[in-house]
Amino acid sequence: MMSSSASLEDQIQGNRSVGVAICERLGEEINKLGFQASDIKHYPHYDEATFLLIKDPYTGLKNLTAYWYSLAQPHRIGLMQFNSDGSVYAEYDVVKPHPTKTHWFVEGVTVWGKLAQLKAEAKLLPMPE
């Protein structure tokens, strides 16, 4: 956990190992769904994120937040939040029909928890009839 007075660059560097682990876990969750390699054009990478310090309204501390943006149409496709209590939350858009479950759509993947015990899941939506 970084102090709230650490600079943005200090927080980016201080959270690097956790951030890389989160990116890897997001990628693993995408791969577990069974997409072909050519189906996924972009995976989350720590160094490709845009970082900001955002004040937590509950603790008053500044949390490191990372955003990923699409290259083709500049809109946000993911986020990663490093909370002052050492917990993390990340989500990354997939936005594709499920490759093996035809009645489901994959909105994205989510990772949360603390580094020692990260949990992850895909966010699935039923396909419209």
Side-chain angles (χ1 to χ4, degrees), residues 62-129:
K62 290 188 177 178
N63 295 330
L64 181 64
T65 303
Y67 297 104
W68 290 284
Y69 296 93
S70 69
L71 300 175
Q73 306 168 359
H75 65 279
R76 194 175 84 193
I77 58 173
L79 73 90
M80 182 168 40
Q81 176 78 43
F82 298 87
N83 300 312
S84 56
D85 67 356
S87 66
V88 296
Y89 175 81
E91 59 184 39
Y92 197 77
D93 293 347
V94 175
V95 192
K96 293 187 174 295
H98 196 289
T100 60
K101 299 177 181 176
T102 58
H103 297 292
W104 291 95
F105 184 83
V106 182
E107 181 182 7
V109 291
T110 306
V111 171
W112 70 95
K114 294 193 177 188
L115 182 58
Q117 206 171 37
L118 290 176
K119 295 175 175 50
E121 68 182 2
K123 297 188 295 184
L124 303 179
L125 300 170
M127 289 290 270
E129 296 288 326

Side-chain angles (χ1 to χ4, degrees), residues 1-2 4 6 11 20-21 23 25 29 31-32 42 56 65 71 74 81 92 104 106 108-109 111 123:
M1 178 172 74
M2 301 289 303
S4 65
Q11 289 220 25
V20 168
C23 291
R25 187 66 187 271
E29 287 304 304
N31 291 339
K32 278 201 282 188
H42 194 269
D56 181 332
T65 303
L71 300 175
Q81 176 78 43
Y92 197 77
W104 291 95
V106 182
V109 291
V111 171
K123 297 188 295 184

Side-chain angles (χ1 to χ4, degrees), residues 12 16 18-28 30-31 40-51 66-69 71 77-80 82 91-92:
I12 292 169
R16 179 173 297 283
V18 175
V20 168
I22 292 166
C23 291
E24 288 172 356
R25 187 66 187 271
L26 288 166
E28 289 168 7
I30 293 169
N31 291 339
I40 304 298
K41 304 283 188 242
H42 194 269
Y43 281 86
H45 296 285
Y46 190 76
D47 291 321
E48 293 176 1
T50 299
F51 295 93
Y67 297 104
W68 290 284
Y69 296 93
L71 300 175
I77 58 173
L79 73 90
M80 182 168 40
F82 298 87
E91 59 184 39
Y92 197 77

